[in-house]
Amino acid sequence: MSNYTRMSPPASPTSSSFSNGDPAQGKQETRLTATAKRQKYLRRLLKFKQMDFEYAIWQMIYLFVSPQKVYRNFQYRKYTKDQWARDDPAFLVLLSFWLVVSSIGFSFTLGIHFSGFLKLILWVVFVDCIGVGVVIATFFWFLSNKYMIQAPPRGQDVEWGYAFDVHLNAFFPLLLILHLFQLAFLGLINGESYFGLLFGNTLWLVALTYYIYITFLGYSALPYLKNTRNLLFPCIAIILVYVLSLIFNWNFSKGLCYFYKFRVM
C-alpha cells in the first residue's frame, strides 16, 4: 500500500469530486460536445486559481520517469469525465512558462536584444509549440480515425483534444533536452570540435526519438486503435539522418541558433 501511495499522482479537486456521488451521474453531467469541451478549456486559461498545477507538475516529472503512468491517468479521466483529453490547461500554462525561461537563456546566450527576445517568445510559444502542435495533432487525429480504428467500429474515435495533449506530452521532454539542458553546453556544441558536434546531435537524436516514443505510448493507450507500433517507424529515418549528420558535419544546434537569430532580426 505504501508503494502505491508514493507512485500515485496528487489528487485533483476536479476529478475527486465524483467520489461523493454517483460516478455514472458525473459522467452524464460532463458528457459534452467537442465544441463545448473546447470552450470550457479556453475559458479556464486565465483562471489560474482553478488550475491543478500540482497534478500538472506530477505529469511532467513522470513523462521522464515513467510516461506509461501518465497515460494510465488519462484512462482514469475517460472513466470519470467521459473524455480522454485534459479539461485543465495547467499543463499548457506550465509548458509555456518553461518556454519563456528557455527563451531568456537563448536570448542571453545569443546576444538577442529585448525586442528580439519578445519576438522569440511569441515564436516558440505560439508557433513552435502550439502552431506546429495543431498541425501534428490534426495529422495524427485524421490518421488514427481514418486508418487505425479497429474494425468493426464500436462507436469510438480519437478526440482531437487528446491528440493535441499527446503532442504536448511529447514536446515537454524535447523542450527540456534541447532548450534547457543543451543551453548549458552551447559553447561546446557550437565550437569547432567534432566532440561538440557528436554531443549536440546526440541530444537531438535522444529528444526526437523520445518525442516519437511518447507519441506512440499516447495512441497505444487507446484500446480501440490497431497498428500503433507503426508510429515508431520514423525513428529509423531519424537514426539515418543522425548518422549522415556525423559524416557530413551537420550541426543541428548551430543551425537552430542561426534560425532563432534570423527570425527575430
Side-chain angles (χ1 to χ4, degrees), residues 53-54 56-57 60 89-99 172:
F53 288 107
E54 183 182 0
I57 292 173
M60 289 181 167
F91 189 94
L92 177 59
V93 172
L94 285 180
L95 183 61
S96 300
F97 167 78
W98 286 115
L99 282 169
F172 177 67

Side-chain angles (χ1 to χ4, degrees), residues 105-117:
F106 266 98
S107 298
F108 179 78
T109 303
L110 301 179
I112 298 175
H113 49 77
F114 182 71
S115 61
F117 159 67

Side-chain angles (χ1 to χ4, degrees), residues 180-209:
L180 289 176
F181 180 77
Q182 178 182 236
L183 193 60
F185 301 95
L186 273 184
L188 169 66
I189 295 172
N190 290 346
E192 300 301 325
S193 69
Y194 187 80
F195 177 76
L197 169 72
L198 174 64
F199 180 68
N201 284 9
T202 301
L203 290 181
W204 280 82
L205 173 67
V206 172
L208 293 176
T209 302

Side-chain angles (χ1 to χ4, degrees), residues 149-236:
I149 295 289
Q150 291 185 7
R154 295 178 291 176
Q156 297 173 311
D157 61 354
V158 178
E159 303 169 11
W160 186 92
Y162 179 77
F164 186 68
D165 280 338
V166 170
H167 161 73
L168 294 182
N169 290 342
F171 188 83
F172 177 67
L174 182 146
L175 164 67
L176 289 194
I177 295 172
L178 297 182
H179 260 232
L180 289 176
F181 180 77
Q182 178 182 236
L183 193 60
F185 301 95
L186 273 184
L188 169 66
I189 295 172
N190 290 346
E192 300 301 325
S193 69
Y194 187 80
F195 177 76
L197 169 72
L198 174 64
F199 180 68
N201 284 9
T202 301
L203 290 181
W204 280 82
L205 173 67
V206 172
L208 293 176
T209 302
Y210 207 45
Y211 181 96
I212 293 173
Y213 174 66
I214 293 183
T215 299
F216 155 74
L217 289 180
Y219 290 95
S220 63
L222 302 179
Y224 44 85
L225 293 186
K226 61 181 180 180
N227 300 326
T228 55
R229 291 185 180 273
N230 294 341
L231 299 177
L232 294 173
F233 286 160
C235 290
I236 300 175

